[in-house]
Amino acid sequence: MALEAPHAGPLRVHREAATYPKEAASGLDLLLPGALGEVFPYLGHLRGLGGLHVRPAGWLSAQGLGMALLEGLRALGGRARSARIRREGREEAWPFGLLVLAPGPGLPQALRALGHPLPLTAEPHFKAWFPDPEGRFPREAPLLIWNEPQEIFAPEERALLEEEAELAPLLGLLSPGAHGRPEGEGFLALYNPLPREEAAPSGCLPSPPPFAGEVALRGLFPLLPGLRALLGVRPRVDGGYYVRTPENRPLLGPLEEGVWVLGALSGYGVMAALGAGNALAAWALGEEAPAWARAFAPGRFLDPAYRPKEGRPGSSFRGRTPGGGPPGPRGSPDPGPGRPRGSGGGRP
């Protein structure tokens, strides 16, 4: 049985392992109960459950991607331009044609420094690396995601922990999303079921709570019960921020003449970077951009009718006008939905 999934290739459904195309380069394979354990023996304990194998998918090096893009630019004869900035009370001349702000988790701080306090929050997320000399996380495994709600503490554990204020929210039913993958001589575990929001993070590297690693490890127990043997092992934990807008749409478009922004991609920055960057470049250079790009313009927050959250109108935003001002020579700043081009600045 095969269906076509838009933009993803064929969807193949398997009731038995014999029909599973191990070497397929694209598409999705839905492994129904019975087939899942035959194809992935380390998941054979998941009786009555199926799994979706998506490809091509997995992980890549963000640093490697950045270097590849820079080398590609140089191969085409391009070079990095510069800008005029004020640093530590001293102004420095860094000439540029267009300035694109894409600082990832540094976006809220950069926008505030430029006088564009857009409504952003930052969620700290963490990952934990565990040494695994006995191979309890199979080295051949792909990225594994547990897509079911779960309780990560047994009843007797909950009874002991219920008076711990920081842990109390983690004692009930938690959201899906625990995931992990092999990494070197160990594995990475990632699970942030109750991320908190910070309006103004002081840097790009949040401090993990002491229980972050164990929570991530416990989130993988339904997938790989043998990982319980690693309780008590001290992992290496680090993390970063997922920057979001209230309605979880990214920021992509003009802030003012010659200044553009690309960010608030909610933790999907590396995955969306190439498509989003291509759309912004076309728009900024006055070329044809995808129709969807203007829905992400920062000027949308100036529209009194725009409601980024139910019961929370966009008119609550206050600050300098993003996307206003006169048209520039390389593409006109577009205020986004609800305001006509060239209407200028001002508060809603």
Side-chain angles (χ1 to χ4, degrees):
M1 175 182 177
L3 303 172
E4 191 71 20
H7 312 295
L11 172 63
R12 299 171 290 262
V13 181
H14 309 281
R15 298 184 180 279
E16 54 186 27
T19 63
Y20 171 77
K22 184 176 181 181
E23 304 301 329
S26 63
L28 307 92
D29 291 282
L30 179 60
L31 296 157
L32 298 179
L36 179 63
E38 291 183 52
V39 174
F40 299 106
Y42 44 85
L43 301 178
H45 62 283
L46 297 174
R47 305 290 183 183
L49 296 179
L52 185 66
H53 187 191
V54 182
R55 46 194 164 176
W59 60 91
L60 56 84
S61 165
Q63 292 84 359
L65 174 62
M67 285 305 301
L69 292 173
L70 180 58
E71 290 168 3
L73 173 69
R74 289 170 175 165
L76 293 172
R79 61 186 179 86
R81 308 286 291 272
S82 51
R84 181 178 294 275
I85 64 167
R86 181 178 297 275
R87 183 173 59 179
E88 297 177 353
R90 183 176 69 256
E91 191 172 273
E92 301 177 6
W94 291 10
F96 71 100
L98 282 173
L99 176 63
V100 177
L101 296 176
L107 183 60
Q109 192 172 3
L111 290 175
R112 286 194 302 272
L114 289 173
H116 293 288
L118 292 171
L120 298 177
T121 56
E123 288 181 2
H125 284 251
F126 305 100
K127 66 179 187 293
W129 181 86
F130 285 85
D132 185 24
E134 297 182 5
R136 297 180 185 278
F137 197 116
R139 296 290 185 266
E140 70 278 13
L143 172 66
L144 298 175
I145 304 173
W146 180 246
N147 202 32
E148 294 285 340
Q150 63 172 313
E151 294 182 350
I152 61 173
F153 293 102
E156 58 273 17
E157 293 174 317
R158 292 197 295 271
L160 294 172
L161 298 173
E162 58 188 8
E163 294 186 7
E164 297 286 340
E166 278 194 295
L167 291 174
L170 297 168
L171 301 183
L173 189 66
L174 301 178
S175 60
H179 53 293
R181 63 173 175 85
E183 175 78 0
E185 296 301 314
F187 63 93
L188 286 174
L190 302 92
Y191 189 37
N192 295 272
L194 296 171
R196 66 183 188 275
E197 292 186 347
E198 297 181 18
S202 57
C204 296
L205 298 175
S207 298
F211 50 80
E214 183 172 332
V215 167
L217 178 67
R218 286 175 175 267
L220 295 177
F221 288 173
L223 282 166
L224 299 170
L227 297 182
R228 292 181 180 275
L230 298 180
L231 282 173
V233 173
R234 185 172 182 177
R236 186 173 68 237
V237 180
D238 61 15
Y241 286 102
Y242 290 3
V243 177
R244 303 177 183 272
T245 59
E247 79 285 39
N248 214 23
R249 287 186 178 182
L251 293 174
L252 188 159
L255 285 169
E256 57 186 65
E257 184 176 356
V259 182
W260 297 68
V261 64
L262 177 55
L265 290 157
S266 306
Y268 292 88
V270 173
M271 288 170 272
L274 299 184
N278 189 59
L280 184 137
W283 187 0
L285 295 173
E287 301 172 0
E288 184 176 356
W292 50 259
R294 296 181 188 275
F296 302 145
R300 67 187 188 264
F301 291 107
L302 296 178
D303 179 5
Y306 183 68
R307 295 181 177 271
K309 222 174 194 179
E310 186 64 28
R312 183 178 172 184
S315 57
S316 64
F317 168 68
R318 293 292 183 266
R320 277 181 61 187
T321 303
R330 298 196 176 198
S332 302
D334 190 318
R339 289 176 66 89
R341 183 184 295 277
S343 63
R347 295 180 179 176

